[in-house]
Amino acid sequence: MKVVSWKTLIVTLIMGGGLLYFTVRGCLNKEPASLLWLCLAIYLIAKGIFVSFSAEAYKDDKKRAAIGKRLYREKFGIFAPIMPYLHILIILLDALLVAIFPPTMPIKILGILILMASVIYVFCLSRWFTKSMKAAMEQETNDTLQA
């Protein structure tokens, strides 16, 4: 078996292996969410290894990444690189807000509202991205069939 993408394989083994290690450790400590993380780790490792060894899967993965970058650039312009990570920045802003100000009721409510805004943002962005990605993939398939 020939490795198509060494970079994908190495990242999969390092990141997936680390996630798997900490997840198994959590399962052994009987943490309830660890089983969910274990399923995610196994899925990500399997997908990464499949993409690393399959030329067709690697090509499809690259095509999906290119379409995703194009969609973000079309929608958000110069802010495209940070938009997928904006929810993390919102959560960090919330943590900073809670750390700096005293824990009064208005600050607690504001903190909860900011966290809810982050969840709503992720939900809306993922819905938009899924719909746009499906449409772009269908258009790409139709263009390929017509050519």
Side-chain angles (χ1 to χ4, degrees):
M1 226 184 234
K2 185 178 181 221
V3 176
V4 177
S5 172
W6 281 100
K7 183 174 137 182
T8 305
L9 181 65
I10 291 170
V11 168
T12 297
L13 293 177
I14 291 173
M15 299 299 288
L19 180 61
L20 191 64
Y21 169 76
F22 287 108
T23 303
V24 168
R25 198 173 88 181
C27 283
L28 294 175
N29 290 334
K30 296 183 173 117
E31 294 177 10
S34 292
L35 191 57
L36 205 67
W37 282 103
L38 182 64
C39 293
L40 178 69
I42 291 170
Y43 168 75
L44 291 175
I45 290 171
K47 184 177 182 201
I49 289 175
F50 178 68
V51 168
S52 298
F53 286 105
S54 171
E56 185 176 320
Y58 179 71
K59 182 180 169 188
D60 186 51
D61 195 46
K62 287 296 237 184
K63 183 173 83 170
R64 290 177 69 82
I67 291 172
K69 283 183 182 179
R70 189 189 75 218
L71 288 173
Y72 272 106
R73 258 186 270 121
E74 289 172 1
K75 181 77 172 177
F76 301 112
I78 61 170
F79 299 106
I82 64 165
M83 291 312 281
Y85 309 108
L86 186 62
H87 64 285
I88 297 171
L89 294 174
I90 292 172
I91 291 171
L92 290 175
L93 172 73
D94 189 37
L96 185 66
L97 174 80
V98 171
I100 290 176
F101 293 106
T104 60
M105 188 54 83
I107 296 298
K108 288 179 183 180
I109 291 172
L110 185 61
I112 291 170
L113 289 175
I114 290 174
L115 284 177
M116 287 175 26
S118 177
V119 169
I120 292 169
Y121 169 77
V122 169
F123 178 75
C124 292
L125 187 69
S126 65
R127 296 272 302 170
W128 166 80
F129 188 75
T130 303
K131 287 179 183 177
S132 300
M133 194 64 147
K134 280 183 184 177
M137 292 296 281
E138 286 176 6
Q139 182 181 10
E140 185 111 355
T141 304
N142 292 338
D143 291 345
T144 305
L145 292 175
Q146 289 177 358

